[in-house]
């Protein structure tokens, strides 16, 4: 049976018949229906056969608003870490006002601040070409197609600080502490050091700030050291410092290896030398032992033995660049026996005790002493025990005669001194 069809445009206008192809059932919709005002209209299409109608609906939104056109500006150029302003002021709306902006970037290295404004700020942590997209919408919610622009971010070389000038000692490692900054936060870095002494360029490999590098100079001199840091985009920054390498002095001690208690000897540091300067100070120190130095800050001091011992004395010399050298020597302090005075010759009476008063001196001030007396009359040697000066000893002779009396004092280091009287 033949079909018929109608369309109701939903705007109150008359229902229009439609052409139906009986062979295929295809409906041809008319072109050019004009809605009188903006709005949302429900269109109903019905097909009628001998059984009855079948209908379907769809919605038509009618507006006379034209969408805006986005303009992202650019292309732009910046350097790593630099913040620049993007500009969408070229965006337009033919029949209204642009009210919203939506800037986007697909790259994690990019930071957009104020991405919902006409002039957002752009910062990139690494160099490269970055695509930025912009869509704008107008006051009637119509939105533009995406507009694209490019920001080219240029690499920035590291800024290097190798620290202040330094003094170094020949043969002793010197350390340079290096800091650097790089606005390219995603960069990696390598470093090289030219120590200025003709040695091969020192490759420090991959580094991060701060880092230390060490070198040992083999001869004295003033060297210009250059430290260079290179990022992974071949940007290189360098800094220089001066290292004044000083050959240290040599300390030498001359003088005798022994001294007796109570006696003095001269120590001699004048054999010390400095190949690239002069000796400016001498510092003597008694490391151990019982000795005394009269002036530890002169080149030739006097050393006095206090008590028998093995003394260790050191000498530190300093040159005009502040370098030092220290040497030690061993000095044996020898024991000195006591010096005894038993007094003048005496007369005595047989059977009556006679007293001998004894004095003695010993430069070993820490020594203790014992004494013996031989009265010269064949009596046993008298042990006076522990004594201190002065002390008295007494004896009674049993027969007349002239007797040679010997008093001996022995210190605790077996040093013995004796004196005689008649």
């Amino acid at each position: 049976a033949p079909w018929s069809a109608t369309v109701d445009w939903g705007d109150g206008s008359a229902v229009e018949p439609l052409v139906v192809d009986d062979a295929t059932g295809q409906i041809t919709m008319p072109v050019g229906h004009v809605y009188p005002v903006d709005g949302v209209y429900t269109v109903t299409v019905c097909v009628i056969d001998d059984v009855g109608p079948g209908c379907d609906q769809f919605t038509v939104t009618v507006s006379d608003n034209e969408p805006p056109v986005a303009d992202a500006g650019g292309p732009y150029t910046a350097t790593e870490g630099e913040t620049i302003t993007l500009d969408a002021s070229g965006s337009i709306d033919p029949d209204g006002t642009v009210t919203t902006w939506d800037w986007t970037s697909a790259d994690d290295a990019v930071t957009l601040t104020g991405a919902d404004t006409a002039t957002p700020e752009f910062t990139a942590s690494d160099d490269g070409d970055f695509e930025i997209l912009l869509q704008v919408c107008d006051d009637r919610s119509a939105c533009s197609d995406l507009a694209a622009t490019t920001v080219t971010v240029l690499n920035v070389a590291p800024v290097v600080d190798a620290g202040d000038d330094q003094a170094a000692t020949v043969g002793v490692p010197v350390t340079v502490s290096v800091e650097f900054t790089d606005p390219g936060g995603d960069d990696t870095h390598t470093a090289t050091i030219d120590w200025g002494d003709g040695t091969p360029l020192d490759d420090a490999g991959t580094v991060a700030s701060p880092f230390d590098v060490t070198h040992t100079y083999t001869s004295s001199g003033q060297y210009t050291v250059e430290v260079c840091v290179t990022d992974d985009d071949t940007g290189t920054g360098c800094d220089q410092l001066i290292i004044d390498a000083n050959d240290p002095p040599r300390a030498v001690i001359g003088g005798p290896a022994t001294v007796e208690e109570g006696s003095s000897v001269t120590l001699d540091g004048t054999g010390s030398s400095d190949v690239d300067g002069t000796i400016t100070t001498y510092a003597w120190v008694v490391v151990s032992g019982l000795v005394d130095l009269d002036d530890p800050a002169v080149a030739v001091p006097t050393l006095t033995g206090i008590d028998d011992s093995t003394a260790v004395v050191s000498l530190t010399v300093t040159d005009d660049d502040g370098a030092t050298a220290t040497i030690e020597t061993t000095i044996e302090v020898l024991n000195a026996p006591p010096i005894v005075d038993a007094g003048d010759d005496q007369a005595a009476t047989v059977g009556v005790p006679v007293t001998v008063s004894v004095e003695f001196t010993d430069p070993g001030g820490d020594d203790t002493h014992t004494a013996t007396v031989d009265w010269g009359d064949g009596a046993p040697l008298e042990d006076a025990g522990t004594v201190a000066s002065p002390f008295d000893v007494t004896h009674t002779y049993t027969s007349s005669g002239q007797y040679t009396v010997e008093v001996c004092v022995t210190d605790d280091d077996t040093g013995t001194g004796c004196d005689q009287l008649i």
Side-chain angles (χ1 to χ4, degrees):
W3 293 350
S4 64
T6 61
V7 57
D8 182 350
W9 295 102
D11 59 354
S13 60
V15 175
E16 294 184 30
L18 300 176
V19 177
V20 179
D21 186 333
D22 290 337
T24 64
Q26 183 174 352
I27 299 172
T28 303
M29 291 288 290
V31 177
H33 183 78
V34 177
Y35 285 92
V37 293
D38 293 351
V40 178
Y41 300 93
T42 300
V43 179
T44 303
V45 177
C46 294
V47 178
I48 304 114
D49 62 9
D50 55 0
V51 176
C55 299
D56 195 13
Q57 294 178 329
F58 61 92
T59 299
V60 174
T61 301
V62 177
S63 173
D64 62 356
N65 179 42
E66 290 190 42
V69 177
D71 183 351
Y76 302 91
T77 301
T79 57
E80 286 178 326
E82 179 188 6
T83 297
I84 64 170
T85 300
L86 307 181
D87 186 4
S89 62
S91 301
I92 60 171
D93 183 32
D95 56 359
T97 305
V98 174
T99 57
T100 64
W101 300 262
D102 184 18
W103 299 82
T104 57
S105 171
D107 200 300
D108 293 337
V110 171
T111 300
L112 288 172
T113 303
D116 58 353
T117 68
T119 54
E121 291 185 337
F122 168 100
T123 307
S125 60
D126 202 2
D127 60 294
D129 292 322
F130 302 96
E131 184 180 54
I132 307 297
L133 301 178
L134 170 66
Q135 184 179 56
V136 297
C137 298
D138 66 15
D139 51 352
R140 297 172 68 180
S141 301
C143 296
S144 70
D145 293 332
L146 290 173
T149 189
T150 301
V151 181
T152 299
V153 178
L154 306 177
N155 184 55
V156 176
V159 177
V160 182
D161 181 3
D164 297 332
D165 296 343
Q166 294 192 42
T169 300
V170 172
V172 178
V174 59
T175 297
V176 174
S177 295
V178 184
E179 296 181 355
F180 66 90
T181 58
D182 189 339
D186 296 333
D187 286 354
T188 59
H189 302 83
T190 58
T192 59
I193 304 93
D194 181 351
W195 292 101
D197 59 353
T199 56
L201 194 68
D202 188 353
D203 183 357
T206 300
V207 296
S209 180
F211 66 95
D212 292 341
V213 286
T214 302
H215 186 67
T216 301
Y217 287 97
T218 58
S219 60
S220 60
Q222 197 171 69
Y223 301 97
T224 299
V225 180
E226 184 172 60
V227 181
C228 293
V229 177
T230 302
D231 64 24
D232 52 8
D233 299 298
T234 70
T236 299
C238 300
D239 190 29
Q240 293 182 338
L241 72 154
I242 302 297
I243 293 183
D244 191 354
N246 175 42
D247 214 335
R250 187 172 72 97
V252 175
I253 297 177
T258 61
V259 62
E260 196 172 74
E261 287 177 330
S263 298
S264 297
V265 293
T266 298
L267 300 181
D268 188 358
T270 59
S272 303
S273 60
D274 184 35
V275 297
D276 59 356
T278 57
I279 303 295
T280 56
T281 64
Y282 298 83
W284 299 84
V285 174
V286 176
V287 179
S288 63
L290 300 173
V291 295
D292 181 56
L293 287 167
D294 68 334
D295 188 347
V298 298
V300 185
T302 297
L303 178 141
T304 301
I306 298 174
D307 200 1
D308 62 296
S309 61
T310 298
V312 177
V313 177
S314 72
L315 168 62
T316 298
V317 294
T318 304
D319 67 13
D320 52 352
D321 287 313
T324 62
T326 300
I327 191 173
E328 291 184 349
T329 189
T330 299
I331 299 174
E332 294 293 336
V333 181
L334 305 177
N335 184 56
I339 298 173
V340 181
D341 181 3
D344 297 333
D345 295 343
Q346 295 189 40
T349 301
V350 173
V352 178
V354 61
T355 297
V356 175
S357 295
V358 183
E359 295 181 355
F360 66 91
T361 59
D362 188 341
D366 295 331
D367 286 354
T368 59
H369 302 84
T370 58
T372 60
V373 185
D374 181 352
W375 293 101
D377 59 353
L381 188 70
E382 181 178 342
D383 182 359
T386 300
V387 296
S389 181
F391 66 93
D392 292 340
V393 287
T394 302
H395 187 68
T396 301
Y397 285 99
T398 58
S399 60
S400 61
Q402 194 173 63
Y403 301 97
T404 299
V405 180
E406 185 174 59
V407 180
C408 293
V409 178
T410 302
D411 64 24
D412 53 7
D413 298 300
T414 69
T416 300
C418 299
D419 191 26
Q420 294 180 341
L421 74 156
I422 303 297

